[in-house]
Amino acid sequence: QVDLVESGGGSVQAGGSLRLSCKPSGMPFYKGSMAWFRQAPGKERGGVAGTNLEYTTYYDESVRGRFTISYDNTKNTLYLQMHDLKPDDTAMYYCAASYSLYGGSLLLREGSYNFWGQGTQVTVSS
C-alpha cells in the first residue's frame, strides 16, 4: 500500500509561481512512475506532468515550458514547480504513483496509476 500526501497548493495571482510536493509512504525509494493530474470544476481529471525511474518526463501541452516535474530521491518527494500561472490552471491537483515503468503519453494516462493522493487546491486569480 502506498499513501501519497500532497502539499503546497494555495492562491496566487496570474503570473505567479507555486511548488507542489508529494511525499509517498510505503515506497522505500522511488521506482516506477509518478505524475501530477488536475481537475477543474465541471471538467474531467487530466494529466499535467509525469516522470519515471529513468527520469523521462512528459508534459501536457498546456503547461509545457511553464511547469517542471522532478523527483528528489534523497527526500523521496515528487515536486511540480509551476511558473507563469494562469487562471485556467485553477484546479485540484493530484499526485499519482505506480510501480510500473511508463514513458511518453502513458505517463499522463489516468489508468496507468493505482495510487492517488487526496489533492491540493491551486487557485489562480486574474
Side-chain angles (χ1 to χ4, degrees):
Q1 180 64 34
V2 176
D3 292 321
L4 304 175
V5 180
E6 302 103 331
S7 62
S11 296
V12 64
Q13 289 190 327
S17 299
L18 283 173
R19 188 178 75 163
L20 306 183
S21 300
C22 172
K23 191 169 180 64
S25 63
M27 296 177 78
F29 54 88
Y30 170 60
K31 55 182 179 180
S33 305
M34 298 186 75
W36 290 96
F37 287 73
R38 67 185 180 186
Q39 186 171 23
K43 295 186 178 180
E44 294 186 352
R45 186 160 61 183
V48 175
T51 186
N52 63 23
L53 177 63
E54 297 177 354
Y55 296 97
T56 297
T57 58
Y58 193 83
Y59 296 90
D60 182 76
E61 187 174 350
S62 66
V63 305
R64 199 167 293 148
R66 300 188 296 123
F67 292 10
T68 302
I69 188 171
S70 62
Y71 186 83
D72 186 338
N73 58 12
T74 65
K75 297 181 180 180
N76 194 29
T77 301
L78 179 74
Y79 298 101
L80 184 68
Q81 179 67 57
M82 304 184 292
H83 294 300
D84 191 23
L85 283 160
K86 306 176 187 301
D88 284 349
D89 295 318
T90 295
M92 184 71 78
Y93 283 71
Y94 298 90
C95 175
S98 169
Y99 285 113
S100 298
L101 189 67
Y102 297 108
S105 62
L106 291 179
L107 284 167
L108 299 189
R109 186 187 69 174
E110 192 166 338
S112 297
Y113 301 93
N114 45 5
F115 301 109
W116 293 85
Q118 294 300 307
T120 184
Q121 177 68 37
V122 172
T123 302
V124 184
S125 58
S126 58

